[in-house]
Amino acid sequence: MTKLTHRLAGYLETLARALRRYGRDDGKVLVLGGVRSGKSRHAERLVAHHPHLVYVAPGLPPSAEDPEWAARVAAHKARRPSHWKTVETTDLPGVLRSATGPVLIDCLGTWLSRVLDEVGAWTQKSGWELRLDERLEDFLVAWAQARVPVVAVSNEVGSGVVPATVSGRLFRDVLGALNSRVSAESDRVLLVVAGRVLDLP
């Protein structure tokens, strides 16, 4: 009886994972990819069927001082359906905890860059490591506890050359670790390479 119970429990868990993975609402989904890989477009397609959605843009707001970044932001805005609500904030935990419907975060890389700046990592302010850990853990707890469909886009930074600067290596290492932690708490993880989507087991 014990073997049968264990076998049945295993079957039900496999079925539950399959339903989360391939159901219409995918639970928590992490979409990884390199620059211009098509990761954002794919993430948008995953949530396109929702009549209402909160689009979280945690990167720097566009400014005249950086026309290239402003053009990128404008292109992203032009793609979004008019019924999506855009929230520009670095308070990802707050958004996830208060969400009553689906959420799309694009992206964790731009969010981390701002968080590193806010905690004083770039200038090595005293205590920045502790402040960074607190911010990351707060987000990870909110992600794990999210009860609405949520898709997060992030940069896959582990396949390129080693950055030449200390700040570049710090960003790569922290984002790589963050992606791994988010992946562990996700129902589905996708890797987008040259517009092709790989479903990671």
Side-chain angles (χ1 to χ4, degrees):
M1 191 66 170
T2 304
K3 287 184 179 179
L4 180 60
T5 303
H6 284 298
R7 197 174 303 160
L8 181 59
Y11 171 75
L12 290 174
E13 177 58 29
T14 301
L15 180 61
R17 279 199 304 269
L19 288 172
R20 288 195 301 268
R21 191 178 175 98
Y22 297 110
R24 189 166 174 80
D25 289 328
D26 283 328
K28 293 186 282 284
V29 182
L30 176 62
V31 181
L32 298 167
V35 175
R36 302 294 192 185
S37 62
K39 60 187 183 297
S40 293
R41 283 184 181 275
H42 185 71
E44 290 163 7
R45 284 197 292 270
L46 289 176
V47 295
H49 62 279
H50 290 292
H52 302 288
L53 177 130
V54 173
Y55 180 102
V56 187
L60 287 170
S63 73
E65 296 174 4
D66 190 344
E68 189 271 339
W69 177 249
R72 283 178 182 245
V73 172
H76 274 251
K77 284 183 176 178
R79 284 204 314 256
R80 292 175 215 158
S82 59
H83 57 272
W84 285 7
K85 177 184 177 183
T86 299
V87 177
E88 295 181 353
T89 182
T90 57
D91 184 17
L92 300 187
V95 171
L96 291 175
R97 290 185 177 115
S98 63
T100 58
V103 175
L104 171 60
I105 302 169
D106 193 1
C107 75
L108 295 183
T110 54
W111 173 73
L112 177 62
S113 182
R114 288 188 71 184
V115 169
L116 287 167
D117 186 52
E118 290 172 4
V119 302
W122 305 133
T123 55
Q124 301 286 290
K125 284 185 182 177
S126 177
W128 71 265
E129 297 100 330
L130 178 59
R131 291 190 295 273
L132 176 62
D133 285 346
E134 289 173 347
R135 293 285 296 272
L136 296 180
E137 288 301 322
D138 192 26
F139 166 69
L140 288 164
V141 169
W143 175 268
Q145 294 176 347
R147 293 296 176 262
V148 297
V150 55
V151 176
V153 178
S154 191
N155 303 94
E156 175 48 59
V157 291
S159 301
V161 297
V162 176
T165 63
V166 172
S167 58
R169 291 191 293 274
L170 171 65
F171 175 80
R172 179 202 59 177
D173 291 349
V174 175
L175 184 58
L178 177 64
N179 287 343
S180 293
R181 295 281 302 279
V182 173
S183 173
E185 293 293 341
S186 297
D187 299 302
R188 194 176 181 195
V189 181
L190 305 173
L191 176 64
V192 183
V193 180
R196 301 298 183 97
V197 183
L198 302 173
D199 210 324
L200 302 182

